Amino acid sequence: MKSNLILSSAVFALALSACGEKSEVAAPADPRVEAIFVAAEPAGAISVIEARKNPAPGTGITVIGRVAGAMEPFSKDFATLVLADDTVMTCERNPGDSCPTPWDACCVDPKVLSASRLSVQVNGADGRPIDATLKGVKGLKELDQIVIQGKVAPGSNAENLIVEATGIFRKS
Amino acid sequence: MLPFAYAIRHLLRDPVRFAQKVAGSALVVFLVLAAGSFNSGMKRVLAATGSPLNVILLGAGSEESVERSEVAVQAEVQAAAGIRGIANRLGQPAVSGEVQHMGLARLADGSEGRAVFRGITPAALEVHREVRVVAGRYPRTGEVMVGRLVHEALDADADRLAVGGTLEIEGQAFTIAGRFEAPGTVMESEIWFDRNDLMTAIKRDKLSCVVIRLESADDFKNADLFSKQRLDLELVALRESDYYGKLAAFYRPLRGMTWLTAALIGAGAVFGGLNILYAAFASRIRELATLQAIGFGRVALLVSLVQESLVSTLTGTLLAAILAILLLEGVTIPFSIGAFHLALPLPVIGAGLLTGVLLGSLGALPPALRCLRAPLPSALRSA
Protein backbone atom coordinates (compact mmCIF):
# COMPACT_ATOMS: atom_id res chain seq x y z
CA MET A 1 0.00 0.00 0.00
CA LYS A 2 2.77 2.38 1.02
CA SER A 3 4.83 1.61 -2.06
CA ASN A 4 1.73 2.23 -4.23
CA LEU A 5 1.31 5.63 -2.62
CA ILE A 6 4.94 6.55 -3.25
CA LEU A 7 4.66 5.39 -6.86
CA SER A 8 1.45 7.37 -7.39
CA SER A 9 3.06 10.48 -5.90
CA ALA A 10 6.06 10.08 -8.16
CA VAL A 11 3.87 9.70 -11.26
CA PHE A 12 1.78 12.71 -10.20
CA ALA A 13 4.90 14.80 -9.62
CA LEU A 14 6.23 13.75 -13.01
CA ALA A 15 2.94 14.65 -14.67
CA LEU A 16 2.94 18.06 -12.98
CA SER A 17 6.50 18.75 -14.06
CA ALA A 18 5.53 17.90 -17.66
CA CYS A 19 2.87 20.60 -17.52
CA GLY A 20 5.41 23.31 -16.80
CA GLU A 21 7.30 25.45 -19.28
CA LYS A 22 9.37 23.29 -21.54
CA SER A 23 13.05 24.02 -21.23
CA GLU A 24 15.28 23.68 -24.27
CA VAL A 25 17.87 21.01 -23.68
CA ALA A 26 21.17 22.49 -24.78
CA ALA A 27 23.45 20.26 -26.81
CA PRO A 28 26.88 19.80 -25.29
CA ALA A 29 29.27 22.48 -26.52
CA ASP A 30 31.93 21.55 -29.05
CA PRO A 31 35.30 21.44 -27.23
CA ARG A 32 37.02 23.26 -30.12
CA VAL A 33 34.66 26.18 -29.66
CA GLU A 34 34.70 26.03 -25.86
CA ALA A 35 38.48 26.29 -25.89
CA ILE A 36 38.31 29.73 -27.48
CA PHE A 37 36.71 31.30 -24.40
CA VAL A 38 39.18 33.06 -22.08
CA ALA A 39 38.82 33.76 -18.37
CA ALA A 40 40.48 37.18 -18.28
CA GLU A 41 39.42 40.22 -20.26
CA PRO A 42 41.93 41.07 -23.00
CA ALA A 43 43.31 44.58 -22.60
CA GLY A 44 43.22 47.39 -25.13
CA ALA A 45 39.89 46.62 -26.79
CA ILE A 46 38.60 49.13 -29.32
CA SER A 47 35.03 49.67 -30.49
CA VAL A 48 33.56 48.05 -33.60
CA ILE A 49 33.28 51.43 -35.35
CA GLU A 50 36.94 52.15 -34.55
CA ALA A 51 37.99 48.69 -35.75
CA ARG A 52 36.27 49.22 -39.10
CA LYS A 53 38.11 52.41 -39.88
CA ASN A 54 41.27 50.96 -41.34
CA PRO A 55 41.46 47.19 -41.09
CA ALA A 56 44.66 45.61 -42.33
CA PRO A 57 44.27 41.88 -43.09
CA GLY A 58 46.53 39.72 -40.93
CA THR A 59 47.04 42.28 -38.16
CA GLY A 60 46.07 41.58 -34.55
CA ILE A 61 42.93 43.22 -33.17
CA THR A 62 41.01 43.34 -29.90
CA VAL A 63 37.47 44.64 -30.18
CA ILE A 64 34.54 45.04 -27.82
CA GLY A 65 30.87 44.97 -28.77
CA ARG A 66 27.60 43.14 -28.38
CA VAL A 67 26.19 40.08 -30.10
CA ALA A 68 23.62 41.89 -32.22
CA GLY A 69 23.04 43.57 -35.56
CA ALA A 70 21.19 40.77 -37.36
CA MET A 71 18.01 38.78 -36.95
CA GLU A 72 20.13 35.69 -36.35
CA PRO A 73 23.55 36.89 -35.17
CA PHE A 74 24.71 33.31 -34.58
CA SER A 75 25.14 30.80 -37.36
CA LYS A 76 23.42 27.52 -36.53
CA ASP A 77 26.05 25.46 -38.30
CA PHE A 78 29.32 27.38 -37.93
CA ALA A 79 31.25 29.19 -35.21
CA THR A 80 30.43 32.71 -36.38
CA LEU A 81 28.61 35.64 -34.91
CA VAL A 82 27.76 39.25 -35.73
CA LEU A 83 29.26 41.83 -33.37
CA ALA A 84 27.60 45.25 -33.18
CA ASP A 85 29.06 48.41 -31.75
CA ASP A 86 28.06 49.16 -28.16
CA THR A 87 26.40 52.39 -29.29
CA VAL A 88 23.88 50.62 -31.54
CA MET A 89 20.41 51.30 -30.14
CA THR A 90 19.04 47.81 -29.99
CA CYS A 91 15.30 47.66 -29.33
CA GLU A 92 15.44 46.78 -25.61
CA ARG A 93 17.12 50.15 -25.01
CA ASN A 94 13.98 51.95 -26.17
CA PRO A 95 11.57 52.21 -23.22
CA GLY A 96 8.34 50.32 -23.80
CA ASP A 97 9.63 48.48 -26.87
CA SER A 98 8.48 44.87 -26.79
CA CYS A 99 10.30 43.66 -29.90
CA PRO A 100 10.75 39.87 -29.56
CA THR A 101 14.17 40.03 -31.27
CA PRO A 102 15.70 43.25 -29.90
CA TRP A 103 19.19 42.25 -31.05
CA ASP A 104 18.27 42.76 -34.72
CA ALA A 105 18.26 46.53 -34.10
CA CYS A 106 15.34 46.89 -36.48
CA CYS A 107 14.69 50.47 -35.34
CA VAL A 108 18.17 51.61 -36.37
CA ASP A 109 18.83 53.21 -39.77
CA PRO A 110 20.14 50.35 -41.95
CA LYS A 111 23.07 52.49 -43.13
CA VAL A 112 24.11 53.26 -39.55
CA LEU A 113 23.77 49.60 -38.62
CA SER A 114 25.83 48.49 -41.63
CA ALA A 115 28.66 50.77 -40.52
CA SER A 116 28.51 49.53 -36.92
CA ARG A 117 28.99 45.78 -37.10
CA LEU A 118 31.51 43.14 -38.05
CA SER A 119 31.61 39.40 -38.44
CA VAL A 120 33.51 37.15 -36.04
CA GLN A 121 34.49 33.60 -36.86
CA VAL A 122 36.39 30.88 -35.07
CA ASN A 123 38.45 28.92 -37.54
CA GLY A 124 39.55 25.32 -37.33
CA ALA A 125 42.83 23.81 -38.46
CA ASP A 126 41.65 23.95 -42.10
CA GLY A 127 41.31 27.73 -41.94
CA ARG A 128 37.51 27.53 -42.27
CA PRO A 129 34.96 28.31 -39.56
CA ILE A 130 34.49 25.38 -37.18
CA ASP A 131 31.23 23.53 -37.93
CA ALA A 132 29.67 24.13 -34.51
CA THR A 133 27.60 27.04 -33.28
CA LEU A 134 28.84 29.57 -30.74
CA LYS A 135 25.35 30.11 -29.39
CA GLY A 136 24.95 28.81 -25.89
CA VAL A 137 28.63 28.02 -25.40
CA LYS A 138 29.58 29.21 -21.87
CA GLY A 139 26.10 30.78 -21.78
CA LEU A 140 26.78 33.07 -24.76
CA LYS A 141 23.59 34.59 -26.15
CA GLU A 142 22.25 37.54 -28.11
CA LEU A 143 22.94 41.02 -26.65
CA ASP A 144 25.86 39.76 -24.54
CA GLN A 145 28.78 42.16 -24.36
CA ILE A 146 31.95 40.38 -25.41
CA VAL A 147 35.58 41.13 -26.12
CA ILE A 148 37.13 39.46 -29.16
CA GLN A 149 40.84 38.95 -29.54
CA GLY A 150 42.08 37.83 -32.93
CA LYS A 151 43.28 39.01 -36.30
CA VAL A 152 41.74 40.69 -39.30
CA ALA A 153 40.75 38.04 -41.86
CA PRO A 154 42.10 38.14 -45.43
CA GLY A 155 39.85 40.07 -47.78
CA SER A 156 38.52 42.33 -45.04
CA ASN A 157 38.06 46.01 -45.76
CA ALA A 158 36.29 49.02 -44.30
CA GLU A 159 33.01 47.84 -45.83
CA ASN A 160 33.20 44.30 -44.57
CA LEU A 161 35.38 43.38 -41.62
CA ILE A 162 35.81 39.77 -40.56
CA VAL A 163 37.76 38.98 -37.40
CA GLU A 164 39.23 35.52 -36.91
CA ALA A 165 38.91 35.08 -33.16
CA THR A 166 41.59 33.46 -31.06
CA GLY A 167 39.94 34.42 -27.78
CA ILE A 168 36.44 35.38 -26.67
CA PHE A 169 35.72 36.95 -23.28
CA ARG A 170 32.10 37.17 -22.19
CA LYS A 171 31.86 40.39 -20.25
CA SER A 172 28.14 40.49 -19.45
CA MET B 1 -33.06 -7.71 -40.49
CA LEU B 2 -35.18 -6.18 -43.20
CA PRO B 3 -34.12 -7.01 -46.77
CA PHE B 4 -32.09 -4.31 -48.58
CA ALA B 5 -34.71 -4.32 -51.36
CA TYR B 6 -37.21 -2.87 -48.85
CA ALA B 7 -35.10 0.27 -48.49
CA ILE B 8 -34.65 0.61 -52.25
CA ARG B 9 -38.39 0.15 -52.94
CA HIS B 10 -39.15 2.94 -50.49
CA LEU B 11 -36.75 5.31 -52.13
CA LEU B 12 -38.35 4.83 -55.52
CA ARG B 13 -41.87 5.13 -54.15
CA ASP B 14 -41.49 8.94 -53.97
CA PRO B 15 -39.12 10.01 -56.81
CA VAL B 16 -39.41 13.75 -56.06
CA ARG B 17 -38.33 13.31 -52.46
CA PHE B 18 -35.53 10.98 -53.57
CA ALA B 19 -34.36 13.58 -56.10
CA GLN B 20 -34.37 16.25 -53.36
CA LYS B 21 -32.21 14.07 -51.10
CA VAL B 22 -29.80 13.28 -53.93
CA ALA B 23 -29.54 16.94 -54.98
CA GLY B 24 -28.98 18.14 -51.41
CA SER B 25 -26.21 15.66 -50.69
CA ALA B 26 -24.68 16.25 -54.13
CA LEU B 27 -24.48 19.99 -53.38
CA VAL B 28 -22.74 19.44 -50.02
CA VAL B 29 -20.25 16.91 -51.45
CA PHE B 30 -19.59 19.08 -54.52
CA LEU B 31 -18.74 22.03 -52.23
CA VAL B 32 -16.37 19.85 -50.23
CA LEU B 33 -14.70 18.68 -53.45
CA ALA B 34 -14.47 22.26 -54.77
CA ALA B 35 -12.95 23.64 -51.55
CA GLY B 36 -10.60 20.67 -51.30
CA SER B 37 -9.39 20.94 -54.88
CA PHE B 38 -8.85 24.71 -54.51
CA ASN B 39 -6.80 24.21 -51.35
CA SER B 40 -4.75 21.32 -52.60
CA GLY B 41 -4.16 23.01 -55.98
CA MET B 42 -2.79 26.18 -54.41
CA LYS B 43 -0.69 24.29 -51.87
CA ARG B 44 0.69 21.98 -54.53
CA VAL B 45 1.77 24.76 -56.89
CA LEU B 46 3.57 26.66 -54.12
CA ALA B 47 5.25 23.51 -52.84
CA ALA B 48 6.35 22.49 -56.33
CA THR B 49 7.84 25.92 -57.09
CA GLY B 50 10.32 25.80 -54.22
CA SER B 51 13.10 23.32 -54.83
CA PRO B 52 14.90 22.03 -51.71
CA LEU B 53 18.17 22.28 -53.66
CA ASN B 54 17.70 25.97 -54.37
CA VAL B 55 18.66 28.82 -52.05
CA ILE B 56 17.40 32.37 -52.45
CA LEU B 57 19.62 35.21 -51.28
CA LEU B 58 17.30 38.09 -50.44
CA GLY B 59 17.93 41.55 -49.08
CA ALA B 60 17.90 41.52 -45.25
CA GLY B 61 14.48 42.55 -43.98
CA SER B 62 12.68 41.50 -47.17
CA GLU B 63 12.33 37.83 -46.38
CA GLU B 64 8.57 37.99 -46.93
CA SER B 65 8.60 39.34 -50.47
CA VAL B 66 11.12 38.88 -53.23
CA GLU B 67 9.62 41.83 -55.11
CA ARG B 68 10.48 44.23 -52.27
CA SER B 69 13.96 42.80 -51.86
CA GLU B 70 17.04 44.67 -53.10
CA VAL B 71 20.33 42.91 -53.64
CA ALA B 72 23.49 44.48 -55.04
CA VAL B 73 24.30 43.29 -58.56
CA GLN B 74 27.82 42.22 -57.49
CA ALA B 75 26.30 39.76 -54.98
CA GLU B 76 25.74 37.35 -57.86
CA VAL B 77 29.46 37.07 -58.69
CA GLN B 78 30.51 37.13 -55.04
CA ALA B 79 28.08 34.38 -54.13
CA ALA B 80 29.34 32.25 -57.01
CA ALA B 81 32.89 32.68 -55.74
CA GLY B 82 32.20 32.49 -52.02
CA ILE B 83 29.71 29.68 -51.50
CA ARG B 84 30.83 26.08 -51.42
CA GLY B 85 28.70 23.29 -52.88
CA ILE B 86 27.12 25.19 -55.79
CA ALA B 87 26.02 22.89 -58.60
CA ASN B 88 27.75 23.55 -61.89
CA ARG B 89 27.62 22.36 -65.45
CA LEU B 90 30.58 22.66 -67.83
CA GLY B 91 32.28 24.78 -65.18
CA GLN B 92 29.45 27.32 -64.99
CA PRO B 93 28.08 27.73 -61.46
CA ALA B 94 24.29 27.57 -61.15
CA VAL B 95 23.87 31.10 -59.79
CA SER B 96 21.14 33.32 -61.18
CA GLY B 97 20.74 36.97 -60.21
CA GLU B 98 17.12 37.83 -60.94
CA VAL B 99 14.74 40.76 -60.91
CA GLN B 100 11.08 40.15 -60.09
CA HIS B 101 8.41 42.75 -60.59
CA MET B 102 4.63 42.67 -60.65
CA GLY B 103 3.44 44.89 -63.47
CA LEU B 104 0.93 45.61 -66.19
CA ALA B 105 1.29 44.02 -69.59
CA ARG B 106 -0.68 45.37 -72.54
CA LEU B 107 -1.60 43.00 -75.35
CA ALA B 108 -1.78 43.89 -79.05
CA ASP B 109 -5.57 44.39 -78.82
CA GLY B 110 -5.16 46.97 -76.06
CA SER B 111 -6.32 44.77 -73.16
CA GLU B 112 -4.20 44.82 -70.02
CA GLY B 113 -3.46 42.45 -67.21
CA ARG B 114 -1.14 42.02 -64.26
CA ALA B 115 1.58 39.43 -64.27
CA VAL B 116 4.90 38.69 -62.60
CA PHE B 117 7.87 39.78 -64.73
CA ARG B 118 11.19 38.05 -64.16
CA GLY B 119 14.42 39.50 -65.51
CA ILE B 120 16.89 36.69 -66.09
CA THR B 121 20.17 35.64 -67.63
CA PRO B 122 20.72 32.22 -69.24
CA ALA B 123 21.85 30.97 -65.80
CA ALA B 124 18.16 30.98 -64.76
CA LEU B 125 17.71 27.77 -66.74
CA GLU B 126 20.48 26.20 -64.63
CA VAL B 127 18.76 26.93 -61.34
CA HIS B 128 15.15 26.44 -62.47
CA ARG B 129 15.69 23.11 -64.16
CA GLU B 130 11.99 22.34 -64.46
CA VAL B 131 11.70 25.11 -67.07
CA ARG B 132 11.50 23.88 -70.68
CA VAL B 133 11.24 26.11 -73.74
CA VAL B 134 8.40 24.48 -75.67
CA ALA B 135 8.10 26.94 -78.55
CA GLY B 136 10.41 29.55 -80.04
CA ARG B 137 13.64 30.27 -78.20
CA TYR B 138 15.30 32.02 -75.26
CA PRO B 139 14.70 35.81 -75.44
CA ARG B 140 17.29 38.34 -76.60
CA THR B 141 17.20 42.07 -76.03
CA GLY B 142 13.77 43.47 -76.87
CA GLU B 143 12.16 40.07 -76.52
CA VAL B 144 10.32 38.10 -73.84
CA MET B 145 9.51 34.49 -73.15
CA VAL B 146 6.04 33.77 -71.76
CA GLY B 147 4.92 31.02 -69.44
CA ARG B 148 2.37 28.46 -70.61
CA LEU B 149 -0.32 29.86 -68.26
CA VAL B 150 0.40 33.57 -68.47
CA HIS B 151 -2.77 34.09 -70.52
CA GLU B 152 -4.74 33.07 -67.41
CA ALA B 153 -3.06 35.79 -65.36
CA LEU B 154 -3.71 38.32 -68.14
CA ASP B 155 -7.25 37.02 -68.69
CA ALA B 156 -6.63 36.65 -72.41
CA ASP B 157 -6.83 33.94 -75.05
CA ALA B 158 -3.70 31.81 -75.27
CA ASP B 159 -3.33 32.50 -79.01
CA ARG B 160 -2.83 36.22 -78.33
CA LEU B 161 0.42 35.30 -76.60
CA ALA B 162 1.77 33.15 -79.39
CA VAL B 163 5.40 33.32 -80.45
CA GLY B 164 5.89 36.28 -82.78
CA GLY B 165 3.27 38.43 -81.04
CA THR B 166 4.04 41.58 -79.08
CA LEU B 167 3.51 42.80 -75.53
CA GLU B 168 3.77 46.37 -74.31
CA ILE B 169 5.37 46.78 -70.92
CA GLU B 170 6.18 50.14 -69.31
CA GLY B 171 5.57 51.82 -72.69
CA GLN B 172 7.99 49.55 -74.56
CA ALA B 173 7.08 46.88 -77.09
CA PHE B 174 8.59 43.43 -76.61
CA THR B 175 8.38 40.59 -79.12
CA ILE B 176 7.36 37.19 -77.77
CA ALA B 177 10.33 35.03 -78.73
CA GLY B 178 9.47 31.89 -76.81
CA ARG B 179 7.01 30.01 -74.70
CA PHE B 180 8.01 27.87 -71.74
CA GLU B 181 6.54 25.40 -69.33
CA ALA B 182 7.50 24.59 -65.76
CA PRO B 183 4.89 22.03 -64.79
CA GLY B 184 3.09 22.66 -61.54
CA THR B 185 4.95 25.87 -60.61
CA VAL B 186 3.97 29.54 -60.44
CA MET B 187 6.67 30.32 -63.00
CA GLU B 188 4.31 29.18 -65.74
CA SER B 189 2.31 32.37 -65.15
CA GLU B 190 5.30 34.68 -65.53
CA ILE B 191 6.82 36.71 -68.35
CA TRP B 192 10.59 36.35 -68.56
CA PHE B 193 12.80 39.15 -69.89
CA ASP B 194 16.42 39.70 -70.58
CA ARG B 195 17.53 41.02 -67.16
CA ASN B 196 19.02 44.26 -68.44
CA ASP B 197 15.87 45.02 -70.45
CA LEU B 198 13.64 44.63 -67.41
CA MET B 199 15.95 46.63 -65.13
CA THR B 200 15.95 49.45 -67.70
CA ALA B 201 12.18 49.28 -68.23
CA ILE B 202 11.32 49.46 -64.53
CA LYS B 203 14.23 51.80 -63.69
CA ARG B 204 15.83 49.49 -61.18
CA ASP B 205 19.53 49.20 -60.47
CA LYS B 206 19.50 46.32 -58.01
CA LEU B 207 18.56 42.66 -58.24
CA SER B 208 15.58 41.22 -56.38
CA CYS B 209 17.39 38.05 -55.43
CA VAL B 210 20.14 35.64 -56.28
CA VAL B 211 18.97 32.06 -56.76
CA ILE B 212 21.57 29.35 -56.27
CA ARG B 213 21.27 25.66 -57.03
CA LEU B 214 23.26 23.48 -54.63
CA GLU B 215 24.71 20.04 -55.20
CA SER B 216 23.09 18.86 -51.98
CA ALA B 217 20.43 20.32 -49.69
CA ASP B 218 22.99 20.03 -46.84
CA ASP B 219 25.09 22.72 -48.51
CA PHE B 220 22.53 25.32 -47.48
CA LYS B 221 24.67 26.02 -44.40
CA ASN B 222 27.44 27.29 -46.69
CA ALA B 223 25.06 29.81 -48.27
CA ASP B 224 23.92 30.85 -44.80
CA LEU B 225 27.55 31.25 -43.71
CA PHE B 226 28.23 33.43 -46.76
CA SER B 227 25.29 35.72 -45.89
CA LYS B 228 26.65 36.10 -42.35
CA GLN B 229 30.24 36.73 -43.43
CA ARG B 230 29.36 39.26 -46.12
CA LEU B 231 27.57 41.74 -43.90
CA ASP B 232 28.22 44.48 -46.46
CA LEU B 233 25.89 42.75 -48.94
CA GLU B 234 23.00 42.74 -46.42
CA LEU B 235 21.78 39.30 -47.42
CA VAL B 236 19.59 36.62 -45.93
CA ALA B 237 19.78 33.05 -47.21
CA LEU B 238 16.53 31.12 -47.41
CA ARG B 239 15.78 27.72 -48.82
CA GLU B 240 13.51 28.25 -51.82
CA SER B 241 11.13 25.63 -50.43
CA ASP B 242 10.92 27.59 -47.14
CA TYR B 243 10.24 30.83 -49.00
CA TYR B 244 7.30 29.31 -50.88
CA GLY B 245 6.24 27.53 -47.69
CA LYS B 246 5.89 30.97 -46.06
CA LEU B 247 3.89 32.16 -49.06
CA ALA B 248 1.60 29.15 -48.66
CA ALA B 249 1.10 30.15 -45.01
CA PHE B 250 0.32 33.71 -46.16
CA TYR B 251 -2.52 32.37 -48.30
CA ARG B 252 -3.88 30.18 -45.48
CA PRO B 253 -6.69 32.64 -44.53
CA LEU B 254 -7.82 32.70 -48.16
CA ARG B 255 -7.90 28.92 -48.23
CA GLY B 256 -9.76 28.95 -44.91
CA MET B 257 -12.37 31.24 -46.47
CA THR B 258 -13.10 28.66 -49.16
CA TRP B 259 -13.77 26.04 -46.48
CA LEU B 260 -15.91 28.50 -44.52
CA THR B 261 -17.96 29.38 -47.59
CA ALA B 262 -18.42 25.71 -48.41
CA ALA B 263 -19.41 25.01 -44.79
CA LEU B 264 -21.98 27.83 -44.70
CA ILE B 265 -23.66 26.83 -47.97
CA GLY B 266 -23.34 23.16 -47.03
CA ALA B 267 -24.99 23.80 -43.64
CA GLY B 268 -28.05 25.15 -45.44
CA ALA B 269 -28.19 22.04 -47.61
CA VAL B 270 -27.72 19.76 -44.56
CA PHE B 271 -30.58 21.37 -42.66
CA GLY B 272 -32.75 21.17 -45.76
CA GLY B 273 -31.90 17.46 -46.09
CA LEU B 274 -32.68 16.85 -42.41
CA ASN B 275 -36.02 18.50 -42.87
CA ILE B 276 -36.81 16.21 -45.79
CA LEU B 277 -35.77 13.15 -43.80
CA TYR B 278 -37.87 14.15 -40.77
CA ALA B 279 -40.88 14.58 -43.03
CA ALA B 280 -40.19 11.32 -44.91
CA PHE B 281 -39.73 9.19 -41.80
CA ALA B 282 -42.60 10.83 -39.88
CA SER B 283 -45.01 9.89 -42.65
CA ARG B 284 -44.07 6.24 -42.12
CA ILE B 285 -44.52 5.93 -38.34
CA ARG B 286 -47.52 3.64 -38.71
CA GLU B 287 -45.82 1.41 -41.26
CA LEU B 288 -42.74 1.08 -39.07
CA ALA B 289 -44.91 0.32 -36.05
CA THR B 290 -46.63 -2.44 -38.03
CA LEU B 291 -43.27 -3.94 -38.89
CA GLN B 292 -42.39 -3.88 -35.17
CA ALA B 293 -45.70 -5.55 -34.38
CA ILE B 294 -44.97 -8.46 -36.72
CA GLY B 295 -41.58 -9.03 -35.12
CA PHE B 296 -38.91 -6.75 -36.62
CA GLY B 297 -36.79 -5.13 -33.94
CA ARG B 298 -36.12 -1.39 -33.67
CA VAL B 299 -32.45 -1.90 -34.50
CA ALA B 300 -33.36 -3.70 -37.74
CA LEU B 301 -35.68 -0.84 -38.69
CA LEU B 302 -33.03 1.74 -37.80
CA VAL B 303 -30.49 -0.08 -39.99
CA SER B 304 -32.97 -0.13 -42.86
CA LEU B 305 -33.67 3.60 -42.54
CA VAL B 306 -29.93 4.37 -42.49
CA GLN B 307 -29.45 2.10 -45.54
CA GLU B 308 -32.17 4.03 -47.34
CA SER B 309 -30.55 7.34 -46.44
CA LEU B 310 -27.09 6.10 -47.44
CA VAL B 311 -28.29 5.01 -50.88
CA SER B 312 -29.63 8.50 -51.60
CA THR B 313 -26.59 10.40 -50.23
CA LEU B 314 -24.11 8.09 -51.97
CA THR B 315 -26.02 8.56 -55.21
CA GLY B 316 -25.61 12.29 -54.57
CA THR B 317 -21.90 11.75 -53.87
CA LEU B 318 -21.51 9.92 -57.17
CA LEU B 319 -23.31 12.74 -58.97
CA ALA B 320 -21.11 15.33 -57.22
CA ALA B 321 -17.96 13.44 -58.20
CA ILE B 322 -19.06 13.31 -61.85
CA LEU B 323 -19.86 17.03 -61.79
CA ALA B 324 -16.53 17.80 -60.12
CA ILE B 325 -14.64 15.87 -62.81
CA LEU B 326 -16.58 17.66 -65.55
CA LEU B 327 -16.62 21.17 -64.08
CA LEU B 328 -13.62 21.46 -61.78
CA GLU B 329 -10.76 19.19 -62.80
CA GLY B 330 -8.16 21.03 -64.87
CA VAL B 331 -9.74 24.47 -64.42
CA THR B 332 -7.03 27.13 -64.03
CA ILE B 333 -7.41 29.62 -61.21
CA PRO B 334 -5.27 32.78 -61.35
CA PHE B 335 -4.01 34.32 -58.09
CA SER B 336 -1.67 37.17 -57.27
CA ILE B 337 1.62 35.43 -57.99
CA GLY B 338 0.58 32.92 -60.61
CA ALA B 339 -2.06 30.36 -61.43
CA PHE B 340 -2.85 26.81 -60.42
CA HIS B 341 -4.95 23.97 -61.73
CA LEU B 342 -7.83 22.52 -59.76
CA ALA B 343 -7.31 18.81 -59.31
CA LEU B 344 -9.00 15.99 -57.47
CA PRO B 345 -6.26 14.07 -55.69
CA LEU B 346 -7.11 10.99 -53.64
CA PRO B 347 -7.39 12.79 -50.24
CA VAL B 348 -9.92 15.27 -51.70
CA ILE B 349 -12.00 12.47 -53.25
CA GLY B 350 -11.75 10.63 -49.91
CA ALA B 351 -13.03 13.72 -48.07
CA GLY B 352 -15.98 13.92 -50.48
CA LEU B 353 -16.81 10.25 -50.03
CA LEU B 354 -16.53 10.53 -46.25
CA THR B 355 -18.88 13.53 -46.32
CA GLY B 356 -21.41 11.50 -48.30
CA VAL B 357 -21.19 8.57 -45.85
CA LEU B 358 -21.51 10.84 -42.80
CA LEU B 359 -24.45 12.69 -44.31
CA GLY B 360 -26.20 9.40 -45.00
CA SER B 361 -25.46 7.70 -41.69
CA LEU B 362 -25.25 10.40 -39.01
CA GLY B 363 -27.80 12.60 -40.81
CA ALA B 364 -30.40 9.81 -40.79
CA LEU B 365 -30.04 8.99 -37.08
CA PRO B 366 -31.96 11.89 -35.44
CA PRO B 367 -35.11 11.61 -37.63
CA ALA B 368 -34.99 7.80 -37.55
CA LEU B 369 -34.64 7.66 -33.74
CA ARG B 370 -37.45 10.17 -33.31
CA CYS B 371 -39.66 8.06 -35.54
CA LEU B 372 -38.87 4.77 -33.75
CA ARG B 373 -39.06 6.21 -30.23
CA ALA B 374 -42.87 6.53 -30.29
CA PRO B 375 -44.68 3.87 -28.17
CA LEU B 376 -46.02 1.05 -30.33
CA PRO B 377 -49.80 1.44 -29.50
CA SER B 378 -49.87 5.15 -30.28
CA ALA B 379 -47.66 4.67 -33.35
CA LEU B 380 -50.07 2.04 -34.70
CA ARG B 381 -52.98 4.45 -34.28
CA SER B 382 -51.18 7.42 -35.86
CA ALA B 383 -52.46 8.79 -39.14
Side-chain angles (χ1 to χ4, degrees), chain B residues 104-108 117 166-174:
Chain B
L104 271 178
R106 185 191 292 259
L107 279 76
F117 306 153
T166 55
L167 276 176
E168 191 185 310
I169 286 133
E170 301 287 337
Q172 295 178 41
F174 290 87

Side-chain angles (χ1 to χ4, degrees), chain B residues 23-265:
Chain B
S25 54
L27 174 65
V28 175
V29 175
F30 183 78
L31 288 169
V32 169
L33 293 174
S37 61
F38 181 92
N39 275 273
S40 72
M42 186 184 270
K43 274 200 280 191
R44 201 180 54 242
V45 76
L46 290 172
T49 304
S51 164
L53 286 177
N54 281 5
V55 174
I56 310 184
L57 296 179
L58 291 165
S62 304
E63 294 89 333
E64 307 294 325
S65 166
V66 69
E67 285 165 42
R68 281 211 315 269
S69 162
E70 291 199 334
V71 174
V73 175
Q74 68 266 28
E76 184 182 22
V77 177
Q78 286 162 349
I83 298 176
R84 288 186 176 200
I86 295 177
N88 73 77
R89 207 150 31 184
L90 299 172
Q92 291 300 308
V95 177
S96 169
E98 299 179 357
V99 175
Q100 287 192 39
H101 176 76
M102 171 76 82
L104 271 178
R106 185 191 292 259
L107 279 76
D109 64 358
S111 61
E112 287 183 332
R114 282 197 170 273
V116 174
F117 306 153
R118 194 184 290 241
I120 51 153
T121 62
L125 300 176
E126 285 296 318
V127 298
H128 306 294
R129 292 191 183 172
E130 56 277 59
V131 172
R132 296 275 179 275
V133 180
V134 291
R137 56 172 170 73
Y138 181 85
R140 298 178 188 141
T141 301
E143 296 175 339
V144 295
M145 184 163 74
V146 295
R148 194 170 58 94
L149 296 179
V150 78
H151 63 281
E152 298 284 351
L154 298 175
D155 197 18
D157 292 334
D159 53 4
R160 287 189 191 162
L161 291 153
V163 173
T166 55
L167 276 176
E168 191 185 310
I169 286 133
E170 301 287 337
Q172 295 178 41
F174 290 87
T175 305
I176 300 172
R179 191 175 174 83
F180 68 91
E181 65 172 21
T185 72
V186 293
M187 287 183 285
E188 288 194 306
S189 311
E190 295 178 355
I191 301 173
W192 284 19
F193 294 71
D194 170 81
R195 191 173 79 191
N196 291 334
D197 274 1
L198 184 59
M199 289 174 81
T200 307
I202 61 173
K203 299 175 185 65
R204 190 178 166 129
D205 58 0
K206 288 192 170 178
L207 303 175
S208 304
C209 63
V210 176
V211 185
I212 297 160
R213 189 169 187 87
L214 302 169
E215 284 173 348
S216 152
D218 291 340
D219 289 321
F220 169 76
K221 60 187 179 188
N222 294 321
D224 187 47
L225 175 65
F226 173 79
S227 71
K228 287 185 165 62
Q229 286 179 322
R230 290 306 307 262
L231 294 175
D232 55 327
L233 296 174
E234 307 263 355
L235 297 173
V236 171
L238 281 179
R239 288 182 206 274
E240 198 179 48
S241 49
D242 289 347
Y243 176 76
Y244 284 100
K246 280 184 183 172
L247 272 186
F250 174 77
Y251 286 108
R252 197 175 292 143
L254 178 70
R255 297 201 310 272
M257 284 298 289
T258 62
W259 281 117
L260 186 66
T261 309
L264 287 174
I265 302 173

